[in-house]
């Protein structure tokens, strides 16, 4: 019988509350200040519904890449990648990262299709509503809410568990305090604020990863359419470095240093329960850097939770069906106001939901099984002209039923150890395609391409015209506000260019999938290769080089792309301060 010791909190509870409340509200204050500067010294204002929900479709690839890395880096990413490296060895965290990177890369193809066939859409629900009507819209609205529930529950439960393990902070308090600061800057700044905050979080994330890597090396082992696809390519490559480097660093360090007297459970290894709880990373951080390492890990986990949670708050505000069913003539200001109410209410509900998920641990996994049948129908909605409403509904609903049946049978026969999410995913795709081919449609996507013209209520609102005029007067002269060509606005890139973007994304994602899923693992399997010391050094060096390249893409590229705008804002801010000082003198 294996022996184990308790994993006692490394830090005081006050540190946990200080990070969750103090750091959370500090970031909220910083984001509020940046939002105020943006509103007064740029052409974008969060009071516009277009800016609030889609950042005026003006984000450049570097910032989108940074947002992907930040929002895709959950606390589970950091902890689970370290756990698999600690438990199974140095290559497992690489496969963990490869799986997520392939998903991001493949979404680049979907993003290209969205730009081709529904460039004006704010959410996929708009596309479903226009193409398939009310019934399909309601079904996928339910799916969207379930998805947000699953993600929010996972984020808060995982993040609060880590905070509790490191500081002893009450988990219920963490459930309710974590979302509050996030909601503040999301309400006031909208989608652009979440991307700016993602950039800030990413700086801290990579800074801490670099610090751990150097300690690890010394002591342990001695939306422009074209820009969208580019951003997902860079995002997939950049995010891959996070679980690979972070998992290698802390997971292998925990395995190598568990004989150190500084190890939290010394003289015993982590128990299976402690390992499954993701405590390999906190244990390694404590040995490598003492309490400073524990604080660093606490910060990076907190950043991971807040960044991903802010994305979910924006997502749930975009799901709101106020304009669709209650007030079709709602103005942009009214939509933004309802979004604010929704975000505040959901931030409170997130704490309640995390408490429920923590009480019924298998509940969220069951809900995840329900979600998988919606994936293929959603992709085909923007991809396949022959898709029919009947096929869409049959595939998504029957696939969910079959997935739940497979899950319950698996629980019954295998004592709940395995869940059959793949069943619903595969059957939903087969059913959707089969039913659609019985009587195929020939959709030309003209309706979805016209969403931008349908979503034009702000232009009919006299108040919005006045606000727009006032905003134009406020824009400093350093910004060149050129009149938009109506034709260019409706069709920013021609079909051939977008098709080329799609083909490039398809080649990239396919090549990455073949290399990661087939070539590398089969080569290692059939050769039975055992890492030599020299090859191990090469492996670690590759992870370090990759993470430095990722940091460059995610941190430096956004600054280079937006340097002119930042200089213009600083100039006008300086002029304002100088004028104020001159008046006072």
């Amino acid at each position: 019988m294996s022996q184990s010791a308790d994993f006692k909190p490394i830090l005081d509870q006050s540190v946990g509350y200080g990070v969750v409340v103090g750091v959370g509200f500090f970031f909220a204050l910083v984001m509020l200040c940046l939002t105020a500067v943006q509103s007064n010294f740029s052409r974008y204002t969060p009071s516009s519904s277009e800016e609030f929900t889609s950042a005026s479709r003006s984000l450049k690839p570097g910032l989108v890449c940074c947002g992907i890395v930040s929002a895709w880096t959950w606390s589970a990413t950091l902890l689970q990648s370290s756990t698999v490296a600690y438990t199974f060895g140095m290559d497992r965290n690489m496969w963990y990262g490869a799986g997520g990177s392939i998903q991001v890369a493949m979404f680049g193809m979907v993003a290209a299709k969205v730009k081709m066939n529904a460039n004006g859409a704010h959410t996929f629900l708009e596309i479903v509503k226009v193409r398939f009507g009310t019934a399909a819209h309601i079904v996928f609205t339910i799916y969207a809410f379930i998805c947000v529930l699953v993600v929010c529950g996972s984020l808060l439960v995982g993040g609060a568990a880590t905070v509790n393990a490191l500081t002893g902070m009450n988990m219920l308090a963490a459930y309710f305090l974590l979302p509050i600061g996030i909601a503040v800057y999301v309400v006031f700044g909208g989608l652009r604020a979440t991307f700016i905050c993602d950039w800030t979080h990413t700086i801290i994330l990579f800074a801490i990863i670099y610090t751990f890597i150097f300690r690890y090396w010394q002591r342990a082992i001695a939306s422009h359419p074209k820009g969208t696809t580019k951003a997902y390519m860079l995002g997939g490559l950049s995010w891959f470095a996070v679980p690979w480097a972070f998992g290698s660093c802390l997971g292998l360090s925990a395995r190598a240093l568990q004989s150190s007297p500084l190890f939290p459970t010394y003289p015993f290894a982590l128990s299976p329960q402690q390992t499954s709880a993701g405590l390999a990373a906190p244990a390694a951080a404590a040995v490598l850097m003492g309490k400073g390492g524990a604080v660093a890990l606490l910060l990076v986990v907190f950043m991971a939770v807040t960044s991903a949670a802010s994305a979910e708050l924006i997502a749930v505000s975009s799901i709101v069906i106020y304009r669709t069913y209650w007030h079709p003539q709602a103005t942009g200001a009214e939509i933004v106001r309802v979004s604010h109410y929704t975000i505040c209410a959901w931030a409170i509900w997130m704490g309640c939901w995390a408490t429920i998920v923590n009480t019924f641990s298998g509940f969220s996994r069951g809900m995840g099984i329900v979600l998988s049948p919606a994936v293929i129908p959603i992709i085909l909605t923007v991809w396949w002209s022959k898709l029919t409403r009947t096929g869409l509904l049959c595939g998504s609903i029957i696939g969910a039923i079959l997935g739940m049946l497979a899950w319950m049978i698996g629980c019954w026969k295998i004592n709940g150890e395995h869940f059959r999410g793949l069943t619903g995913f595969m059957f939903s795709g087969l059913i959707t395609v089969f039913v659609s081919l019985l009587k195929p449609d020939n959709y030309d996507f003209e309706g979805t391409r016209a969403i931008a013209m349908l979503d034009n209520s702000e232009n009919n609102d006299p108040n919005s015209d006045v606000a727009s005029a006032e905003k134009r007067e406020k824009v400093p002269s350093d910004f060149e506000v050129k009149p938009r060509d109506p034709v260019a606005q409706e069709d920013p890139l021609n079909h051939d260019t977008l098709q080329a973007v799609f083909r490039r994304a398809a080649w990239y994602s396919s090549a990455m999938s073949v290399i990661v899923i087939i070539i590398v693992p089969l080569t290692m399997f059939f050769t039975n290769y055992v890492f030599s010391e020299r090859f191990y050094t090469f492996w670690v060096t590759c992870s370090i080089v990759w993470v430095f390249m990722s940091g460059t893409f995610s941190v430096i590229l956004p600054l280079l792309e937006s340097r002119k705008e930042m200089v213009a804002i600083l100039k006008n801010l300086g002029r304002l301060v100088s004028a104020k000082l001159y008046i006072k003198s």
Side-chain angles (χ1 to χ4, degrees), residues 225-238:
K226 287 203 286 192
T228 300
T229 302
K230 177 183 177 182
Y232 280 100
M233 291 179 181
L234 292 176
L237 288 172
S238 299

Side-chain angles (χ1 to χ4, degrees), residues 369-388:
I369 290 166
V370 177
L371 286 174
S372 60
V375 174
I376 294 179
I378 288 173
I379 294 174
L380 295 180
T381 297
V382 294
W383 201 310
W384 195 32
S385 63
K386 298 184 184 297
L387 180 65
T388 63

Side-chain angles (χ1 to χ4, degrees), residues 106-315:
M106 288 189 169
F107 193 80
M109 292 192 295
V110 179
K113 281 294 183 180
V114 169
K115 291 297 180 183
M116 289 173 62
N117 296 326
N119 190 39
H122 301 84
T123 67
F124 79 91
L125 293 175
E126 285 182 287
I127 304 173
V128 172
K129 179 70 165 64
V130 169
R131 183 171 178 182
F132 297 113
T134 300
H137 182 260
I138 292 174
V139 169
F140 280 88
T141 298
I142 294 171
Y143 269 121
F145 272 115
I146 295 174
C147 180
V148 175
L149 281 173
V150 172
V151 175
C152 289
S154 301
L155 288 173
L156 287 184
V157 170
T162 305
V163 174
N164 173 263
L166 289 171
T167 69
M169 179 181 178
N170 184 277
M171 291 183 65
L172 290 177
Y175 291 156
F176 287 92
L177 291 175
L178 277 169
I180 294 177
I182 308 168
V184 172
Y185 69 77
V186 173
V187 164
F188 288 98
L191 183 61
R192 191 181 300 272
T194 69
F195 274 95
I196 296 173
C197 199
D198 286 344
W199 180 75
T200 310
H201 290 176
T202 303
I203 293 176
I204 297 172
L205 170 66
F206 279 107
I208 291 175
I209 290 177
Y210 295 158
T211 303
F212 278 135
I213 283 177
F214 289 132
R215 296 278 181 162
Y216 157 72
W217 187 263
Q218 294 165 359
R219 294 184 59 187
I221 309 298
S223 198
H224 190 275
K226 287 203 286 192
T228 300
T229 302
K230 177 183 177 182
Y232 280 100
M233 291 179 181
L234 292 176
L237 288 172
S238 299
W239 181 83
F240 174 69
V242 175
W244 186 18
F246 193 90
S248 295
C249 173
L250 294 185
L252 296 181
S253 293
R255 177 60 67 184
L257 299 175
Q258 61 187 1
S259 59
S260 168
L262 299 176
F263 200 75
T265 59
Y266 179 81
F268 307 110
L270 294 174
S271 68
Q273 293 77 17
Q274 291 166 339
T275 302
S276 63
L279 296 182
V287 179
L288 288 172
M289 298 175 60
K291 289 190 174 182
V295 171
L297 186 68
L298 180 62
L299 277 174
V300 78
V301 169
F302 172 77
M303 296 301 175
V305 173
T306 55
S307 180
S310 66
E312 295 308 309
L313 287 174
I314 283 289

Side-chain angles (χ1 to χ4, degrees), residues 40-42 473-481 568 572 575:
N40 288 279
F41 297 100
S42 79
E473 291 176 3
K474 287 168 59 180
V475 175
S477 58
D478 295 77
F479 290 101
E480 296 182 9
V481 186
N572 287 281
R575 291 171 188 167

Side-chain angles (χ1 to χ4, degrees), residues 3-56:
Q3 294 178 304
S4 63
D6 293 336
F7 194 106
K8 297 180 180 179
I10 303 167
L11 304 169
D12 294 333
Q13 280 194 28
S14 58
V15 178
Y17 284 99
V19 169
V20 171
V21 179
V23 177
F25 278 96
F26 170 76
F27 269 100
L29 179 62
V30 171
M31 289 304 108
L32 288 176
C33 293
L34 291 177
T35 299
V37 171
Q38 171 199 323
S39 299
N40 288 279
F41 297 100
S42 79
R43 68 178 67 95
Y44 304 116
T45 173
S47 61
S48 161
S49 63
E50 188 72 19
E51 170 68 14
F52 188 86
T53 58
S54 61
S56 302

Side-chain angles (χ1 to χ4, degrees), residues 480-509:
E480 296 182 9
V481 186
K482 299 179 180 179
R484 291 187 177 184
D485 181 5
V487 176
Q489 187 175 0
E490 294 174 11
D491 187 18
L493 287 177
N494 62 48
H495 185 273
D496 292 338
T497 304
L498 290 170
Q499 190 65 37
V501 172
F502 170 75
R503 285 196 297 268
R504 187 162 60 248
W507 276 109
Y508 163 73
S509 59

